[in-house]
Amino acid sequence: MVRRSALAGQPARRPLSIVVRSSQPGPHLNPPDAASEAWVASQRAWVDLAVNQPAELSGTDAKGVPWSSSVYLLGVSHDSPANARSVHEVAAAVKPDAAGWEFDSSNSTLNNRMKTAAQSAPMMKFVPRLMDTPIESHAQARGQLTVEERKEWEECLRSAHIGLSVADTVALHKLARPAYADGIAAAFIAREFGAPFVFIDCPDGRSMYKEAAMKLHQEDKTAVRSVTEQALGESLAVSFRWWKQSDPRSRDLQFAVNLAMAETLLPEAMPSTLTAYPKERREANAQRERGMCRTINDLCSGKLVGKPRKRVLAIVGKNHVAPLIELLKAA
């Protein structure tokens, strides 16, 4: 996924109205028990995949010295309230000596701003708490930051000149989804382990993806949701439909359910959903993944950071994990 939020170098948007900024997510945004339990199980499955099935790379550097690296690919749903915990669990298990995050690899300005935000006083308070708290339910994950703390989270990002879109701000305050949580967690972990923090996404592929996303029609989105429901299975699909129909007029609820459905997919189910997207979007993602593979390889070999790395933690959207594993195996 590519954000539509303002990039580094562009003025940050003004906050939304105080109505949005002070909203406390209501109980109707909490899923039924079956959906919540499946959501929690999915987060654990993606962590297990990253820790237990790394991609192994090897080669020789410019001086002919051999190197080998294990790449731990953690699939996340961007801004999920579970992301900081997932990043922590993988990092604690593998002790990375480099961290990569799915963002434009040419944007060094934003990279520095992310590191600045991760080192700020509010984030030094919030991120360890998010990392140290086990995820027990969807509602519990969303409730880790209070209303006032979510305001602090937003102000921290804006103070670091990291732009937020309207959708980012609504998701933060109404759905309790901390914007850039996966990137902040990656920068935080890199600092904790004394490791370099790099962006690994392909600039050209991101541009293609944005163009394809703008052409995405409602029928395309409906098709993706339909395939997602099939991948979840009838029992879970019914649970999510029941949740959505509990307040059909609430746009917040519809948004929350669609996000939670996608986040509940297990690693083995994710590839089947990708075929529902239009050809242009699939081609854009394929280009991005080829670019990410090259950047990860350069990070492992030492071309990017001066010396080879043995344990690389790469945090990417869940839809990129399976293609990247295949590309890295063939690299």
Side-chain angles (χ1 to χ4, degrees), residues 56-309:
E56 303 293 345
L57 300 184
S58 61
T60 55
D61 63 18
K63 297 180 180 180
V65 179
W67 58 267
S68 62
S69 299
S70 298
V71 180
Y72 301 90
L73 287 162
L74 173 61
V76 299
S77 298
H78 298 300
D79 301 343
S80 167
N83 284 348
R85 177 64 182 183
S86 295
V87 171
H88 167 75
E89 288 183 350
V90 177
V94 308
K95 297 177 174 52
D97 56 9
W101 181 53
E102 180 200 326
F103 214 94
D104 183 350
S105 60
S106 68
N107 199 332
S108 58
T109 301
L110 186 58
N111 182 289
N112 290 328
R113 291 175 179 179
M114 290 292 290
K115 287 185 281 193
T116 298
Q119 296 174 28
S120 66
M123 293 302 181
M124 294 294 287
K125 175 177 61 174
F126 300 145
V127 175
R129 186 205 309 165
L130 295 177
M131 288 183 168
D132 292 342
T133 305
I135 302 301
E136 298 175 351
S137 71
H138 186 272
Q140 174 259 348
R142 287 174 47 253
Q144 293 180 91
L145 296 178
T146 67
V147 171
E148 292 302 319
E149 287 172 339
R150 294 199 298 276
K151 293 178 184 178
E152 284 190 71
W153 187 284
E154 178 187 352
E155 293 306 322
C156 179
L157 293 178
R158 294 188 186 280
S159 295
H161 304 287
I162 297 172
L164 297 174
S165 70
V166 171
D168 289 331
T169 312
V170 169
L172 172 60
H173 295 294
K174 286 204 164 188
L175 306 184
R177 297 176 64 85
Y180 292 97
D182 37 315
I184 292 290
F188 191 94
I189 283 294
R191 182 173 181 270
E192 189 173 74
F193 282 89
F197 170 59
V198 301
F199 288 175
I200 60 174
D201 205 353
C202 168
D204 293 339
R206 287 179 70 85
S207 298
M208 285 178 60
Y209 182 94
K210 288 178 181 178
E211 291 178 10
M214 291 178 67
K215 298 176 184 176
L216 200 63
H217 300 296
Q218 186 58 45
E219 55 265 31
D220 298 319
K221 298 177 183 178
T222 301
V224 171
R225 283 196 291 271
S226 176
V227 172
T228 299
E229 286 190 1
Q230 293 176 29
L232 289 172
E234 181 61 20
S235 178
L236 267 181
V238 168
S239 185
F240 278 106
R241 286 198 293 269
W242 181 91
W243 182 23
K244 182 177 287 190
Q245 292 163 7
S246 65
D247 190 355
R249 295 185 178 182
S250 170
R251 295 179 63 183
D252 294 340
L253 178 62
Q254 308 308 304
F255 188 25
V257 174
N258 290 336
L259 289 170
M261 282 178 56
E263 291 173 4
T264 304
L265 289 170
L266 294 169
E268 57 267 27
M270 181 60 69
S272 67
T273 67
L274 304 182
T275 58
Y277 284 102
K279 179 181 178 182
E280 293 84 355
R281 182 158 171 166
R282 296 198 306 271
E283 290 176 344
N285 268 339
Q287 178 162 337
R288 292 174 65 199
E289 287 147 6
R290 289 191 293 271
M292 282 191 262
C293 180
R294 289 192 296 270
T295 304
I296 291 171
N297 193 79
D298 288 345
L299 176 59
C300 292
S301 69
K303 185 176 180 180
L304 284 184
V305 291
K307 67 177 183 179
R309 300 288 155 168

